[in-house]
Amino acid sequence: MPNAQAPVAQSKSSSNQALRHDWNVDEITALFDLPFNDLMFRAQNVHRENFDANEVQVSTLLSIKTGACPEDCKYCPQSAHNDTGLEAERLMKVKEVICEAEVAKQAGASRFCMGAAWKNPRAKDMPYVLEMVREVKAMGLETCMTLGMLDGDQAQALADAGLDYYNHNLDTSPEYYGSIITTRTYQDRLDTLSNVRDAGMKVCAGGIVGMGENLRDRVGLLQQLANMPIHPESVPINMLVKVEGTPLDQVDDLEPFDFVRTIAVARILMPTSHVRLSAGREEMNEQMQALCFMAGANSIFYGERLLTTDNPAADRDRALFNKLGIRPEKRQDVSDEAHIGAIEQALQDVEDEQSFYNAGA
Ligand code: SAM
Ligand code: DTB
Ligand code: SF4
């Protein structure tokens, strides 16, 4: 049963254009095939019709249970099938999680995302994760979790505890999926996403590019996402982080413009969703990230760690935002003065630092 906070089904973008859920492969391929400048222009227009183009939402990630995962995802450093030398850690204590959430809030994050290396949460884990949701929410942060597959009851319990978003990625096209993961099916993932939606939470679902897939697979992934009855509110586009000891460690680099194109096409297909420039920013220079923002990305992970791999340090991101005139997006559901104050203070600190360097130059 949907709960009282269930999002209203999207039907229009702010430009009053109907949102489409019937994209076919040829149409999506034609977007990828546009001359780069034409694609960017279209994506920017769609972006500006629906969002403030100079605002980017910032989320901070925390791995609440690390490694020793029974799933065999070929990209993942946390899979027990991959020998990456990662030290496994048990589920963190609620108090430790709250301390990390406080640090993220002070640094200016508006959403706190907690991830666990599980196939699915066990019954005995649920009371702890529910308490994490309640306490992080009480701090005035938006909450997000990614814990693997959920049944309907687990999704409802998380929604009732106040979980705003659940992240569960499709990862790639249905056709390429079997080359990447064999321990859970594409349908398992779609079922979890529909349990999340039915429980009234917002859906965060996207994928990974640069895993050796072809253009048709990137088209197929975006088609699956865009043709859901309601578009995911958040669409993370991850660039594969190659980790030694995973089977994808040696895969060829993706042409960077193909990554930017994937963001631009996601923006056009899902005009009102937040498209997240997700994993892989540590390997991208500032100009590449700026192109992704121009293509319509309007969310990032903020903080020096993703789950187990590196992300740019918060001060580097604040400096980049300053150079580009980007403001962190404020929380949409409440106006939390402390949170807005933390972001403004952090930006002021960077400006002060820059004028200090300029004065000394
Ligand atoms: N275990 C849960 C699951 O898979 O549903 C949640 C955590 S899992 C690490 C969340 C997502 O992180 C994966 O679905 C995948 O899209 C992304 N991810 C994991 N390893 C990655 C890597 N090396 N590069 C890019 N994205 C990665
Ligand atoms: C998502 O799409 N990307 C994040 C988040 N959802 C959970 C995870 C990226 C993980 C990158 C590899 C690591 O740090 O372990
Ligand atoms: Fe486990 Fe998630 Fe990593 Fe797959 S992506 S191995 S399910 S932690």
Side-chain angles (χ1 to χ4, degrees), residues 69 75-78 116-118 146-148 167-169 171 184 189 208 238-241 243 279 307:
C69 182
Y75 50 76
C76 185
Q78 304 201 67
W118 284 328
T146 178
L147 314 172
N167 166 240
H168 198 64
N169 291 336
D171 282 347
R184 65 164 73 126
R189 290 183 185 254
I208 310 178
N238 295 276
M239 171 83 100
L240 175 71
V241 179
V243 179
L307 290 171

Side-chain angles (χ1 to χ4, degrees), residues 110-164:
S110 62
R111 190 177 308 157
F112 194 62
C113 304
M114 295 158 267
W118 284 328
K119 182 183 187 71
N120 50 259
R122 295 165 303 180
K124 68 175 191 173
D125 301 316
M126 286 304 287
Y128 299 100
V129 296
L130 295 175
E131 188 55 20
M132 289 172 195
V133 173
R134 283 189 281 264
E135 295 202 22
V136 172
K137 181 107 176 154
M139 294 168 58
L141 284 163
E142 285 182 323
T143 51
C144 175
M145 281 191 161
T146 178
L147 314 172
M149 295 191 286
L150 293 183
D151 65 29
D153 291 343
Q154 289 174 320
Q156 195 57 61
L158 287 163
D160 292 344
L163 189 64
D164 297 302

Side-chain angles (χ1 to χ4, degrees), residues 56-62 109 111-115 144-146 167 169 204 207 234-239 275-282 289 293 298-307 309-314 317-318 321:
V56 169
Q57 187 277 330
V58 292
S59 297
T60 292
L61 261 178
L62 175 69
R111 190 177 308 157
F112 194 62
C113 304
M114 295 158 267
C144 175
M145 281 191 161
T146 178
N167 166 240
N169 291 336
C204 173
S234 169
V235 181
I237 305 293
N238 295 276
M239 171 83 100
V275 175
R276 179 174 297 139
L277 169 54
S278 194
R281 288 196 302 119
E282 186 65 355
Q289 294 180 63
F293 296 135
N298 60 347
S299 173
I300 58 163
F301 283 122
Y302 171 70
E304 63 188 28
R305 214 81 185 127
L306 290 165
L307 290 171
T309 63
D310 291 343
N311 195 44
D317 280 340
R318 290 196 295 260
F321 276 21

